Amino acid sequence: MKVAVLGSEGQLGLSLKHQQPLDVDVTYYNHKECDITKIIDLKKCLNQHYNFVINASGYTDVEGAEVCPDLAYAINAKGVDLLAMVCAQYNIRLIHISTDFVFDGLSSSPYLITDKTNPINVYGQSKLEGENYVFKHSSYNQVIRTSWLYSPWQNNFVLSIIKLLQNNKYISVVDDEIGSPTSALSLASYIWHQIMHNCFEVSPIVNFCNKGFCTRYQFAKTIAKLAIKYHIILNKVKILPTTAKQLNMLAKRPAYSVLQCDVANNQTWQIELQKIISKLAG
Ligand SMILES: NC(=O)c1ccc[n+]([C@@H]2O[C@H](COP(=O)([O-])OP(=O)(O)OC[C@H]3O[C@@H](n4cnc5c(N)ncnc54)[C@H](OP(=O)(O)O)[C@@H]3O)[C@@H](O)[C@H]2O)c1
């Protein structure tokens, strides 16, 4: 089994490396080594000997996408088009990661893979266009939608909250956004399991997020509790609930973006969060 991982230094890329099974031959390409917007890079790095490409790359700055939509579309949409085209030429199966932000958040029950998409920000729109390109060149590919990804590495909500807790007496966190926090390590394990057991026939799109849901405020409170338990922060910090409107962000966020995840042996977000925070404590 030969696999290429693109975007290898992002949090999912690093998580895939961390969780990699021993009996699979994997080549990791970071942004510099393989820019998915450049056909020359894709042709240089990929070839017919690969069975799978995992696209862990992406433009993930939701606020930045409102300011630089061209860049978001170049990476999340057009780059995916090129990548899917090259994969089809070499008969490689592409596993692409997408997001809960393809939905508008108006639902009050977990989103099914068949539910109507309707992104409300540039990031979500660019990711939805990317999803469509995945299947333009081959129906053999797979899109995995996930949500609220975090890991011990790079930029994510958990690390940002811990930093804020270390440097402030009180912080404010939105209490009107509901979703399912997902450990990138658990997503990586799921992807490897799918590859090793060749379970990709089930559906072209799958949802993967950890079990349960919460608001960002509840997520931050749980992070703080665990960070104290593992001595990552020493003093209790007051966490105040606020609203998305009050924060006046550039990008609108879906108010509710829980994905219906039917993956077996999936853990709750609280258990996965504890694993990551204990890891951060060393
Ligand atoms: N983070 C979330 O909450 C979340 C939620 C749902 C879905 N997702 C999706 O999950 C995937 C992985 O997310 P993540 O959180 O691991 O992202 P991340 O930490 O931001 O990593 C993305 C990686 O992609 C690389 N990259 C950017 N442009 C590239 C290009 N043109 N060619 C090749 N590599 C490029 C980046 O490199 P540089 O840093 O050098 O630019 C970075 O290493 C993405 O598709 C994202 O949309 C993320």
Side-chain angles (χ1 to χ4, degrees):
M1 185 80 75
K2 223 170 134 43
V3 179
V5 172
L6 308 184
S8 64
E9 282 171 20
Q11 48 170 349
L12 177 59
L14 292 168
S15 300
L16 284 161
K17 201 176 239 175
H18 191 272
Q19 303 297 86
Q20 186 197 311
L22 290 177
D23 44 350
V24 53
D25 176 1
V26 191
T27 313
Y28 293 89
Y29 295 104
N30 65 25
H31 188 172
K32 244 194 214 151
E33 292 158 338
C34 185
D35 182 332
I36 68 158
T37 66
K38 294 185 181 147
I39 188 86
I40 189 164
D41 281 13
L42 292 168
K43 292 256 176 180
K44 189 182 71 195
C45 296
L46 303 179
N47 58 53
Q48 68 280 7
H49 300 300
Y50 284 108
N51 306 98
F52 291 94
V53 166
I54 307 171
N55 182 23
S57 78
Y59 181 91
T60 57
D61 180 351
V62 177
E63 289 291 282
E66 300 294 314
V67 185
C68 308
D70 291 351
L71 187 58
Y73 277 98
I75 298 166
N76 292 342
K78 201 65 205 141
V80 177
D81 186 18
L82 283 182
L83 172 60
M85 185 185 76
V86 173
C87 285
Q89 277 168 6
Y90 292 136
N91 206 21
I92 307 170
R93 180 169 254 181
L94 172 62
I95 299 166
H96 176 73
I97 315 303
S98 193
T99 171
D100 53 334
F101 279 27
V102 296
F103 296 111
D104 57 21
L106 298 178
S107 178
S108 50
S109 57
Y111 281 102
L112 308 174
I113 54 164
T114 46
D115 280 341
K116 193 178 168 329
T117 51
N118 184 29
I120 55 171
N121 59 37
V122 173
Y123 169 72
Q125 285 151 2
S126 67
K127 292 293 292 182
L128 179 60
E129 209 169 292
E131 285 190 4
N132 295 331
Y133 282 130
V134 167
F135 300 114
K136 176 179 143 193
H137 301 281
S138 168
S139 54
Y140 189 58
N141 296 332
Q142 182 155 57
V143 165
I144 301 175
R145 289 184 183 144
T146 189
S147 61
W148 295 23
L149 218 53
Y150 64 90
S151 71
W153 309 292
Q154 307 298 16
N155 298 317
N156 59 67
F157 187 81
V158 173
L159 298 185
S160 301
I161 291 292
I162 288 176
K163 207 167 171 189
L164 286 169
L165 294 172
Q166 285 166 335
N167 295 310
N168 292 280
K169 288 206 169 66
Y170 68 90
I171 65 169
S172 300
V173 182
V174 291
D175 199 24
D176 56 356
E177 248 180 67
I178 298 172
S180 301
T182 303
S183 148
L185 288 172
S186 71
L187 172 59
S189 299
Y190 169 69
I191 295 172
W192 288 127
H193 182 270
Q194 294 264 91
I195 288 179
M196 301 311 284
H197 295 87
N198 206 10
C199 335
F200 282 98
E201 316 307 332
V202 188
S203 158
I205 301 182
V206 291
N207 288 337
F208 182 89
C209 58
N210 292 145
K211 225 184 252 172
F213 58 86
C214 57
T215 68
R216 292 264 180 203
Y217 168 75
Q218 290 164 335
F219 189 17
K221 295 270 279 183
T222 312
I223 294 166
K225 211 166 87 189
L226 289 167
I228 285 188
K229 179 175 170 190
Y230 286 97
H231 309 292
I232 293 171
I233 56 167
L234 302 178
N235 300 313
K236 267 197 170 171
V237 175
K238 188 129 187 84
I239 305 180
L240 304 169
T242 184
T243 62
K245 202 171 174 191
Q246 271 174 317
L247 287 194
N248 209 14
M249 309 282 266
L250 287 177
K252 279 199 224 161
R253 267 88 171 161
Y256 178 94
S257 63
V258 180
L259 301 171
Q260 176 68 41
C261 175
D262 299 318
V263 169
N265 301 324
N266 187 19
Q267 295 283 9
T268 64
W269 67 266
Q270 292 95 333
I271 289 177
E272 293 294 346
L273 178 63
Q274 175 151 358
K275 286 190 210 164
I276 299 276
I277 293 198
S278 64
K279 204 173 175 57
L280 286 174

